[in-house]
Amino acid sequence: MSCPVSGMAGGQCPAGSVSGSRSSSRMGPRGCTFSGYAQPGDIHAAFDIPRGVDAEEWLRMRERKAINEVLYSNIPSVKEISGMKNIDELNVAEQDLLAVALGAPARQVMIRAEEIGPRTGWKDGYLSVEHGFCPPDYNESPGALANSPGRIWSDLCERMPGCVARGRVRESVAALPIIEGTPEIIPDKALWAAVVALGMLCSIYRYEDKNDGHEGVTVNPTKYRPNCEMSDDLGEELINIPRSIGLPYWQISRRLGRSIPHLTFFDQSSFNMKIKDPTSTYPYVGRFDNMEMRWPVFGERTEIAFQKGCADTSASFQHGPDAIAACQEHVMNRNVEGLLREMIRLKEILERMPNAFHTINTNPNSGENYVPGHQWVRWGKFSAPLSKRCPASSGLQFPPFLVMDAFLGRKKYDSFLGKEGLHLRAWLPSNLRAFIAAIEYHYRIPEFVQQSGDPRLMGVLDGIIEAYTGERGFMGTHRYKVFGILEIASKTGRTETNGLSGAPDSNDRPWEETHKQFSEAMKERLEPYRGNLAVEPHEMRGTFEECRYRSRILSRAFVDNDLNRSIAMVTLDLQNTGITFQPGDRLAVMPLNSWDECAKVAAALGLGDYLDYRVALNPQWKRFAQHIGAVRHGSIPHLTVKDILRRGHLAPITKELALKVHDLVRASSTTVLQVLATTEWPVRGSLGDLLQAALTDTNPHIWDQAFDLTGDMAWLADLIPVEVPRTYSISNYSQELLPSAVDLSISRAEYKLCSTFAGDQEILRAGVGSGFLNPFLNSNDELIETDEDVFIGVSRPLNFQLPIDRAAPCAYFAGGSGIAPFRSFWQARFARHSNTTGRDLLYLGVQSREKFCYEEELRDYVEAGLMEVHLAFSRDSRGLVYDRRIRDLVEKEMPPRYIDALIVEQAATISELVMSKKQGGLGGYLYVCGSVAVFDSVMNGIRKAIYNHCSATMETAEAIINKAFAERRFMLDVFMTPKPMPCNLPTIPLSQLARHTGHRPDSRMWIGVHGSVYDVTDFCPMHPGGTFIIKSNAGVDCSKSFDNLAHTNNPEVSSLLTKYFVGQLTPKPDFHTIPELGDLYDLWAAYLRVTVETLVAHQFEMYEIMGASDQDGTSEKYLRGSENVWSRENLVNIGLGVRMFYDYQSRLLQGGFSALFGPKLQELVLKLSFTLADAAGTGENMRLPDVLGIVARAKTSPEAVVTSQEVALVGQFVCDSSSNVRFAERGIFNYAAKSVELDIELLEDIREEACHGMDAFESVMAMEAGSDEQRLTVLASFLMQTLERMARRLEVFYSKLSKHRVYAPELERNPARTRWNLVRRKIKDGSFFILTQETVLGAAPAYMSVQQRKTGVDFDSVMSRIQASIRSAPKPSPAPQSLNAMHLARAITPPVETNAMATHENSTAVKAMSSFIDANMRSIRRLSKLPSNLSFEQIQAAMEQQQSDYGRVGRPGRPPTPPSVSSRSTPFRASSRAPSIDRMMASYNSRTAMHSSRIPGNHAHSLSMSASHSARSPPTPPLDAAAAMNAMMGKLNVRSRGNSVPPSPHGSVTSTASDRSRPGRSMSVRSVSQHQSGHASRLSTNSLRSFRLGSHTGNYAGGIERLPVKIAPTF
Ligand SMILES: Cc1cc2nc3c(=O)[nH]c(=O)nc-3n(C[C@H](O)[C@H](O)[C@H](O)COP(=O)(O)OP(=O)(O)OC[C@H]3O[C@@H](n4cnc5c(N)ncnc54)[C@H](O)[C@@H]3O)c2cc1C
């Protein structure tokens, strides 16, 4: 006989034999050593043993229960048996028998692990009742390692951040002696610490090897070769890794059961922590605030916060495995009540998990939680697997996810993340795999729940599903968090992501792609419960899908002395729902329309007799019907007319609703037209009002046809959409396991019916939701009883919860019904731990004494000394004052006041509460709840209070408040219904939106959302997701992100947004007669977007480097910001700051601003050139600005070379801080400040140019033109010139930057040494003589003349450059790739370091160019003047040849790699002989000599541009778009299309000369006013509009307004 647990034969018990004894005391209650033996933790809870009973005895008794009693307690009836096809099924499965004989499998795995683990160093993986998958003692293994010879590895780990900063990793590793990882040397107890230490050492060694000690410009061409033995013979993972770490890593991995040495994300985070206070166990020990990272690799905040956040996520699941094992036991024993208890426990554990996300914050003010997303790139490279065989280091391997997937019976693993999860599961430690298998294959909990039919179990299971993988649960929150961080990271330094993000064939941007992948995985998890979802998870937010429980109203009670009951306490039934809730949670309620409203519609449409008729449903109503079926656990119901009327949206009247009626009645109703002419949407009235009125003025025949009652009435479902739920804060706290009821405090939203329907009368109406829950007294809704289901759902706002620390003081600020959530707060605080709670203070603002809610309850608390209550009555002088001494609220006559006055009065206490402990305050938790007006009033009061009490300026007061927000001690629950939005304000063009990125001091930040513009400057510091997330969308239309983040359906967001509304975005002009213009518009808008996003993203990095300002936006000088990396990370060791600057600047220079000057720009050039060439006609020898040439030359100009050399010098410091550059320490500092400012200036200039281009689209449509083609041509030539100006700005940028030097002896502490060091270096590399030459001669570089000779190129040259660029663009890697290969790719440094966003945008542009060329090849050939035997490739080849002759360009179309400092090429070498495309073309085609242009104006302008721009002076401001085009139109009007006689060369030359002599702008405007009075008047109308807009926005004053003088950027 063999042991059924271990499989050991001969009745031998392996545990017994291991211990060497088989004494009866070691035997479990079932006679098996594995079960029940020394059961740790609460044995009563684990085995569901009644309290007060001897557990051992009880278990023994239970064991004595016959198996048949447990398994055959409910044998089916005779009737059922006779109907069975297969009577074998009557007998239980063998695994059931075995499990009843031995115990639940998951528990068995756990018990075994607990017994064996401590003796074997937990080599099978940590698994215990109390600590779950975390180590019971986080110090044990590192301690054991430190006491073994393996200490050399942990010692080196401790030095790692320093070694990395100094580029000394490889040297230090090579210097280690070889210590083997065998059991005699490294004890079992040290195994986990050893694998973490060695794994990290191997990875960082490989990282440094690949990146040559740093990223960026290569300064050290000779690779470091350590002189030591390597581990190449131990498998491909360890090739080129010194044996001193490779061999023990290999040995230790094998001892841990890892056939291939590898490190998991879980190892690196969870096993790499120290616990600060092991006694602080509530609610779990491994919390962010209770942990410290043991061995960081880079030592940056990002790494530490991220790792701690991940460890926290796992640790918060600490008690999950025990709860799951207990669930399984209860299933095995068919114990419904026990199962219910454990499932509720599991749900609570899961609901706590997303809290870990708060610890990873993108708000720079959030102290040690701050994670600058852009820094993550280094970690990505570091954590890449050592070989393609290795399992990836991915968050998917975190055991809680794999366990929960198994628990919930996930079946589908088809998505990328699904496949990866399965793959990684196979690499988990044995105990964890066994545990997962135990719950996946045996006693599946969800199946039992479904079979039980118990609604409570089903409700709790639904809660578990939601908490784990729902929209508002862990997975949903995770997705939002990742979205924000990835967006920032992708726009800055990140070049790659896990999870297929940025897949080359995807049309979405990298973070959107990741979002999609996460959604796919969420859907796979939900599939067993919700089937194939027709909508994306985020689309379910704010819809009926969130209301997954049925309830009914139990009572409506008065809570104050207001006879109208404007606020009522409404109690809803929760019996049998399985709902649990916590303080701060919210209830979503699907309201039912009032009977009166239903009646109005029914009467108008003649539906009175049809109320119970079935309606043919549209897809939305069908989904709703399915949803009802699922919630009722029954079949899909048929919906009737009454259902649609009760549950559809009848009020207020939205534009869509009015338009539908308008269409149905064939535009024949004047009332409907009157409503449609409103200036505010939605209209305050209902569908019933509208139909009632329209009925009287519509032809009955039309009416009958529109609302046909003879058919299936499908029009009814189409007319009335499903209503959306309303959200209410839960107002009570329950200690019951499953609360039986929930209280809400409902304030009836009342509004006046609009005059269209009310006429002169003042008619009050109640809002739909509040009117349903708290109807007018004596109304039909109050009186009519109904048995209809009320669908509800619970959600937990992560940002509105009680502090974990019970002793923390809490202040609640409420206005009116804003008191609602606080009742649950104080009930919970006093119920749970009345002795240990900190102070509770309520500041309440209401209109009058009559409206003081919950007075009695509050007075009880005041008397008991539990609470301080401070009141403000806004319309009542009968005040109440809190008297601390007598613990009472005392009557006092006082003038009416608002809550802000009360707060100012209490300034001292409130200031102390707001200030953090570090600032000497109390570090209190502050909660604000109520309408937006209450929120404003409270915030003003707090600002003033702090200002009066403890700050010198309002800015400091603001900073103190923002700190509290960042520390998540300031939380909001703002609940107001959206205000109607005016629709008659001037519209805001895209360019204006783009200009409001808020990165400069005192500038504003706007965002565009679904056609509206909002000024979110003031909201930014409060954004719960962190300031950077909102900032990364500054100046652009972020509707897509908004939708993805489910903000669109979020009532909180929409109500807040109405507060910040600025106006509507100008819609895209109607180009229907010229579709090409529409395409160009989209293309240009996309480019503008990229310019804005790039500018904003660069600011993030600049902020890190320079930290230029305070959070509040007040300006500070460079390097004085409190948050910049130099001051934050210790100035003495400036390595980190230098590295950060170097990473940033070298990436930028290597990529050559690739997002702006790469394929995206080329695509524009291609399409514009094509348009212009096409307009010029076949065979015409037209000249085009050489945009691409200018860019290419700028990037390879001597100035660019100088700049790269300078950055390379900084790079030397990075990879070797003991190099000679250390003498230029302050110079580096200074250089960094100068160069980032120049970077930003360039980006601002480019954005400004793009804005002008954008404005041109509207102007061109407003002009008189001979034909559409002319419009197109005018616009194309204007845009082409704009692009040329952009290219010139790049030249200027390099030219300016090249003037700055790291070498600035006057700044250094030891100037003489710096000078001497520089001279020595220059002499050594030969550049000394060049330097002298420059100083002595002081001559202007000769290349300038070359620039001046550039007068444009022809179409063929443009085409050949573009073809070359397409050819050289990186080819998308063939899909599908293997999972491992994808992860491995992370480690590979791309040839040019571009961020993920740029890579995506550029690859899309390359694809677009290729298809454009393919589609237009015939036309391109026609427009080309190439001889048929020559191709563009040949021209390009010739160009390349010529260029390489001059030693200028490396590879075509690719940004060149700046040369190393050791290169002896001098900046001036090739400059005077820059290749001339003209010359080359001349050799191919003699016709090139004809330099006549088909567009004289354009030619003139480009000439004047080239002449006026030297690379050393910035280009003049661009022309006003409208004026410039008017000028061009004037000239174009005389040109007849297809004219075979070209304009006289003299004519064009004359005009060129005269144009050149005048400043561009005045010339154009004057020519407009002289020649085109009609145009001028249009122009002025246009300008007038702009002017009005300008006065509205306060910033916009016409197209050519320059930006304010450049000053330090701000955040
Ligand atoms: C997080 C949160 C918690 C809340 N907690 C509570 C609470 O505890 N107690 C409480 O009483 N309320 C609370 N509310 C407010 C509540 O959700 C409802 O907004 C409120 O009851 C009004 O809804 P209604 O259906 O009665 O009004 P509605 O019928 O929605 O209309 C009320 C008013 O809003 C206008 N309106 C409606 N929709 C729009 C729109 N799309 N655009 C512009 N204007 C519109 C209408 O014209 C009308 O003036 C909370 C809200 C949130 C977001």
Side-chain angles (χ1 to χ4, degrees), residues 808-814 819 822 825-826 829-830 838-844 858 862 865-871 882 884 899 902 906 908-914 922 924-928:
C810 293
Y812 316 110
F813 299 87
I819 198 167
F822 299 139
F825 277 37
W826 73 61
R829 294 258 284 182
F830 305 144
R839 273 169 85 182
D840 282 77
L841 303 99
L842 173 70
Y843 298 89
L844 179 65
L858 283 168
V862 168
L866 292 172
M867 203 161 179
E868 294 173 27
V869 176
H870 301 276
L871 295 147
Y882 170 73
R884 181 194 295 259
I899 193 167
L902 169 68
Q906 300 285 321
T909 314
I910 290 174
S911 307
E912 292 298 315
L913 286 167
V914 178
L922 294 171
Y925 284 72
L926 300 107
Y927 301 86
V928 187

Side-chain angles (χ1 to χ4, degrees), residues 566-567 586 591 649 651-654 681-685 723 725-731 744-752 766-773 817-821 929 973-981 1050-1055 1058:
S566 48
I567 298 184
R586 297 160 179 172
H649 177 93
I653 305 172
T654 59
W681 287 106
V683 171
R684 293 164 202 263
E723 185 53 280
R726 304 291 192 269
T727 309
Y728 296 95
S729 307
I730 290 179
S731 274
L744 305 174
S745 308
I746 306 289
S747 155
R748 192 168 48 246
E750 293 175 4
Y751 61 93
K752 284 186 206 139
V768 176
S770 53
F772 164 64
L773 293 166
S817 58
I819 198 167
C929 186
D973 208 15
V974 181
F975 55 72
M976 216 186 90
T977 40
K979 273 193 322 204
M981 302 247 246
N1050 185 337
E1052 253 176 304
V1053 178
S1054 33
S1055 57
T1058 51

Side-chain angles (χ1 to χ4, degrees), residues 1312-1331:
R1313 220 171 156 202
T1314 306
R1315 277 197 197 95
W1316 168 235
N1317 178 59
L1318 182 87
V1319 171
R1320 223 174 47 180
R1321 180 165 63 77
K1322 296 271 174 188
I1323 292 172
K1324 229 164 115 193
D1325 70 11
S1327 57
F1328 175 71
F1329 305 102
I1330 304 297
L1331 187 84

Side-chain angles (χ1 to χ4, degrees), residues 955-1006:
E955 285 73 32
T956 324
E958 198 75 52
I960 291 174
I961 294 176
N962 288 341
K963 182 87 189 153
F965 268 110
E967 288 181 0
R968 312 192 63 81
R969 292 186 294 104
F970 219 127
M971 302 185 221
L972 312 178
D973 208 15
V974 181
F975 55 72
M976 216 186 90
T977 40
K979 273 193 322 204
M981 302 247 246
C983 54
N984 53 353
L985 295 174
T987 61
I988 297 170
L990 261 188
S991 58
Q992 274 316 300
L993 174 62
R995 285 183 177 102
H996 287 85
T997 41
H999 64 279
R1000 293 279 179 183
D1002 303 324
S1003 62
R1004 310 294 298 174
M1005 186 195 303
W1006 291 1

